[in-house]
Amino acid sequence: DIVMTQSPDSLAVSLGERATINCKSSPSVLSSSNNKNFLAWYQHKPGQPPKLLIYWASTRESGVPERFSGSGSGTDFTLTINSLQAEDVAVYYCQQYYSSPYTFGQGTTLEIK
Amino acid sequence: QMQLVESGGGVVQPGRSLRLSCAASGFAFSSYGMHWVRQAPGKGLEWVAVISNDGSNIYYADSVKGRFTISRDNSKNTLFLQMNSLRDEDTAVYYCAKDSPTWLHLIDYWGQGTLVTVSS
């Protein structure tokens, strides 16, 4: 199974500042057939279902604000939230969709400082 | 607009069975793979199972393999999860979720979830 590990488990960032969440996969989720990383990021707010933010490691889902961006390749990935807004408070998960079982990271809780 | 509405959750004793349903609307259900994902109280997301659009391909998490069965009825736009031999650790909110176009195994839309509590 592919193991997904996020860091940190939680972080507090001031409004308007940048938040950075990391995700490591073991092994790699980079496909040699299409040179794409099978890595997604989700935002999960209390009382709501999760929401897809990023797929292919760096492609923003339609309607997702530009302040959300994804980067990385192979085994190391980053979700960056620029100019943090109050509505960004949530738990963020990475997930690999490279091979079954389609494992999630343990989640990172983002709060306002 | 797209909707996924789960039902069938509740309180069940260990060792018993429960069947979850997910009614889909607002999209061509029969064209998409579908997933179940769960979240235990205070824990993170755990992927449970996926089924292809025609039911010909199915995968399970090891934690539920042999006890849970995912299925679908495309004529009724409904996804199911039959859960047998339930354990305390199966207590969770169960989400029905839609796969992306072209069967990538990428979840692009989620239902609101239904709570399953396994307790004596």
Side-chain angles (χ1 to χ4, degrees):
Chain A
D1 297 0
I2 297 178
V3 177
M4 308 299 291
T5 305
Q6 292 181 225
S7 62
D9 289 335
S10 64
L11 78 161
V13 176
S14 300
L15 290 172
E17 298 299 306
R18 176 183 301 165
T20 301
I21 299 170
N22 300 300
C23 175
K24 278 186 178 289
S25 69
S26 179
S28 169
V29 296
L30 174 62
S31 171
S32 57
S33 62
N34 64 1
N35 200 36
K36 290 188 174 184
N37 292 282
F38 284 62
L39 189 283
W41 288 97
Y42 296 91
Q43 177 190 63
H44 193 190
K45 297 181 179 180
Q48 297 184 22
K51 174 187 174 184
L52 175 64
L53 296 175
I54 304 283
Y55 57 98
W56 295 135
S58 60
T59 301
R60 200 178 303 112
E61 172 73 333
S62 175
V64 173
E66 291 184 3
R67 64 180 182 275
F68 291 90
S69 63
S71 62
S73 183
T75 61
D76 292 276
F77 303 92
T78 300
L79 174 69
T80 301
I81 308 171
N82 286 310
S83 187
L84 189 73
Q85 305 295 304
E87 62 262 31
D88 299 335
V89 168
V91 180
Y92 292 84
Y93 295 91
C94 61
Q95 186 203 18
Q96 62 83 15
Y97 50 103
Y98 184 80
S99 67
S100 176
Y102 303 106
T103 41
F104 289 90
Q106 79 276 19
T108 295
T109 301
L110 176 60
E111 300 171 328
I112 303 296
K113 186 186 292 182
Chain B
Q1 72 280 19
M2 196 179 306
Q3 260 199 316
L4 295 170
V5 179
E6 301 92 339
S7 60
V11 180
V12 60
Q13 293 179 328
R16 303 299 290 264
S17 299
L18 204 61
R19 189 196 201 199
L20 304 183
S21 299
C22 171
S25 60
F27 66 102
F29 179 75
S30 62
S31 297
Y32 293 90
M34 296 293 295
H35 300 252
W36 288 100
V37 177
R38 67 185 181 183
Q39 183 176 32
K43 303 293 186 182
L45 299 172
E46 180 188 14
W47 177 81
V48 172
V50 65
I51 184 169
S52 59
N53 66 314
D54 61 359
S56 61
N57 290 284
I58 290 173
Y59 303 99
Y60 295 100
D62 287 345
S63 58
V64 306
K65 201 174 296 183
R67 300 187 300 122
F68 289 12
T69 302
I70 188 172
S71 62
R72 64 192 297 159
D73 185 341
N74 286 344
S75 69
K76 297 181 179 178
N77 289 348
T78 304
L79 175 73
F80 302 101
L81 186 66
Q82 177 67 43
M83 305 185 293
N84 299 331
S85 303
L86 281 161
R87 306 167 179 167
D88 290 352
E89 55 265 35
D90 295 319
T91 294
V93 173
Y94 284 75
Y95 294 99
C96 161
K98 173 186 160 292
D99 200 276
S100 62
T102 68
W103 184 228
L104 286 175
H105 307 140
L106 166 69
I107 293 171
D108 65 4
Y109 188 79
W110 302 63
Q112 292 288 331
T114 186
L115 177 62
V116 173
T117 302
V118 183
S119 173
S120 53

